[in-house]
Amino acid sequence: MELMVLLNALVTRLLFVLHSLIGVWRVTAVKKEPKYWLLALLNLLLCLETGLTLKFKQGRGYKWFSPAIFLYLICTVPSLWLLEIHHGTQYCGNEPGAVQVNVSNQDFNQSRDSSHGNEGTDHHIIQTAKVFVNQLSTICETVWTLALHQTFLLLLVVGRWLLPIGVEITRDQLSQLLLMFVGTAADILEFASETLDIEDVRKNYALINAILAVWTWSMLQFPLDLAVQHIGCKPSASARRIPSLLLCRYSAELWNIWVSLFIQDGPFFIVRSILMGHFRIFNQMLVFFTAKNVLVVTLQLYRLAVIMFDFRATILQKSRKGEVCCCPCEPYEARAHATSHHDNELKELVAFPPKEESQAPSEDH
């Protein structure tokens, strides 16, 4: 088991490094300046994190935060920024987004004729790889950038799945987190591709930077695991403070609402509203996704109101009975069910007193 943990930790981080290096290679090829290879030095941070994790955590993750995912963002996001800002006008074929990678038979025949024996076979493989790389280089820049965006988001989800989990998060919580990340990644990809592909947006350099800044801000939710974990705190320390009690009881729900309002749907709605209201940019998809953001923000505010009213009713009920609030880390439904069950048993005992030889039922709270 420990061997599999170490293997998953190393393989996942290796995939992160390889994808980051591909992004740096594309930036260097597009800009035609070797100095951009210096971006590859950012991967040293990921290598350092790998060594520290293997030494102190035996390859397992941390509570509430994933340093590997965060450093992967640091290594890859600068390359995607440079590619989106450059946005070359290379011809992409007869159809938009067409990808054609053809390795001609003549290239293979030439490499095969020049190969003799074992050394010739090795030379043939090297020549084939060079031809394939040259063909990949002929793909237009916009297709490369979109492919890097897509693989970047897929690796974030798959990498979070492959990374060993810590003792603080369960498999059930991890599965919930991954399902949330899939929907989040789809929304982020749609926001970046749909807004940056607008022709009027491409003519405004400041608007491109603003959209990329919002896109980068939305990516910061991937290293965090607060969406499925409740904050553990002591009842004695939080029972006297209403905000602490609210945070302990509904920490995961409040984090989801905060992410939607301030990291994802809220900023996306603001950007799309500015595009339509100030820059007078309208299209069918832009209007649809703006309406979707409005709906999500409204539902999140409604959910927040429901939580506040529910919490207020619970506090008032406890204060009227003169009871001390239960452990704030337990779900409210479980405590409410246990309290109602206990009250019913007390009513039955009052209505039908037990006989002397019988003992009152005890309940472990």
Side-chain angles (χ1 to χ4, degrees):
M1 181 60 69
E2 293 298 329
L3 181 60
M4 289 299 300
V5 170
L6 295 177
L7 184 62
N8 288 338
L10 291 175
V11 170
T12 306
R13 288 169 172 83
L14 180 61
L15 291 176
F16 290 166
V17 172
L18 289 178
H19 186 266
S20 175
L21 291 178
I22 292 175
V24 176
W25 166 66
R26 283 308 306 164
V27 172
T28 307
V30 167
K31 297 290 188 179
K32 296 180 175 58
E33 295 184 15
K35 67 179 182 180
Y36 287 101
W37 277 110
L38 294 175
L39 292 173
L41 296 177
L42 293 174
N43 291 281
L44 295 178
L45 297 175
L46 190 57
C47 296
L48 178 61
E49 184 273 337
T50 303
L52 295 177
T53 302
L54 294 178
K55 181 179 180 180
F56 296 104
K57 299 286 290 186
Q58 287 74 45
R60 298 191 177 274
Y62 296 82
K63 186 177 182 180
W64 300 336
F65 183 73
S66 176
I69 298 293
F70 180 72
L71 292 177
Y72 176 47
L73 295 178
I74 293 178
C75 296
T76 310
V77 167
S79 300
L80 293 177
W81 265 73
L82 293 173
L83 290 175
E84 287 291 355
I85 291 175
H86 183 268
H87 190 69
T89 57
Q90 185 177 353
Y91 181 64
C92 293
N94 295 329
E95 298 180 358
V99 181
Q100 298 179 356
V101 181
N102 298 322
V103 182
S104 62
N105 294 329
Q106 181 180 0
D107 295 330
F108 281 114
N109 293 332
Q110 290 177 356
S111 60
R112 186 181 296 110
D113 293 339
S114 61
S115 61
H116 301 283
N118 294 331
E119 295 181 357
T121 303
D122 296 337
H123 181 70
H124 169 64
I125 295 175
I126 295 175
Q127 291 295 328
T128 304
K130 289 182 178 179
V131 172
F132 184 73
V133 171
N134 291 333
Q135 291 292 328
L136 287 178
S137 300
T138 60
I139 300 176
C140 63
E141 300 168 10
T142 55
V143 175
W144 262 111
T145 304
L146 180 59
L148 287 174
H149 269 287
Q150 295 169 341
T151 53
F152 178 45
L153 292 169
L154 287 176
L155 266 181
L156 284 173
V157 179
V158 176
R160 190 64 188 86
W161 190 5
L162 294 179
L163 284 173
I165 61 176
V167 296
E168 295 85 3
I169 184 173
T170 63
R171 292 290 179 183
D172 178 65
Q173 292 173 337
L174 179 61
S175 63
Q176 297 178 26
L177 187 67
L178 293 175
L179 289 174
M180 293 174 55
F181 279 175
V182 170
T184 300
D187 289 341
I188 292 176
L189 178 62
E190 176 277 326
F191 169 76
S193 60
E194 179 259 334
T195 53
L196 291 175
D197 284 345
I198 300 176
E199 184 177 356
D200 293 335
V201 173
R202 284 295 176 185
K203 297 177 182 178
N204 193 327
Y205 184 77
L207 193 56
I208 293 176
N209 289 331
I211 292 174
L212 290 176
V214 173
W215 169 78
T216 305
W217 171 249
S218 66
M219 300 295 294
L220 295 179
Q221 58 187 299
F222 284 99
L224 300 174
D225 300 338
L226 292 174
V228 294
Q229 297 189 59
H230 288 275
I231 298 176
C233 46
K234 298 179 180 180
S236 60
S238 59
R240 299 178 181 178
R241 298 180 180 180
I242 299 301
S244 300
L245 182 60
L246 177 64
L247 181 61
C248 291
R249 183 177 297 176
Y250 299 105
S251 59
E253 290 85 353
L254 293 176
W255 171 250
N256 286 327
I257 295 173
W258 189 87
V259 166
S260 178
L261 294 179
F262 299 103
I263 295 184
Q264 187 168 329
D265 291 286
F268 289 179
F269 167 70
I270 293 175
V271 170
R272 288 173 173 137
S273 299
I274 293 174
L275 291 179
M276 293 189 300
H278 184 269
F279 293 96
R280 304 298 180 184
I281 299 175
F282 293 93
N283 59 57
Q284 185 177 2
M285 298 304 296
L286 185 61
V287 173
F288 170 76
F289 284 109
T290 304
K292 174 205 165 190
N293 293 140
V294 173
L295 181 61
V296 172
V297 170
T298 305
L299 292 176
Q300 292 292 354
L301 292 175
Y302 174 72
R303 173 61 180 162
L304 180 61
V306 169
I307 290 176
M308 298 300 296
F309 281 116
D310 188 15
F311 179 75
R312 181 174 179 272
T314 305
I315 296 299
L316 291 177
Q317 183 181 6
K318 293 295 182 180
S319 61
R320 288 172 184 174
K321 293 183 178 181
E323 299 177 1
V324 181
C325 294
C326 300
C327 177
C329 302
E330 296 180 359
Y332 169 71
E333 293 78 4
R335 291 194 308 275
H337 176 72
T339 304
S340 61
H341 181 66
H342 180 63
D343 293 340
N344 293 333
E345 287 194 359
L346 291 178
K347 292 178 181 179
E348 293 177 2
L349 289 175
V350 173
F352 302 98
K355 297 181 180 180
E356 295 180 358
E357 64 272 12
S358 63
Q359 297 180 354
S362 61
E363 187 172 317
D364 185 16
H365 296 282

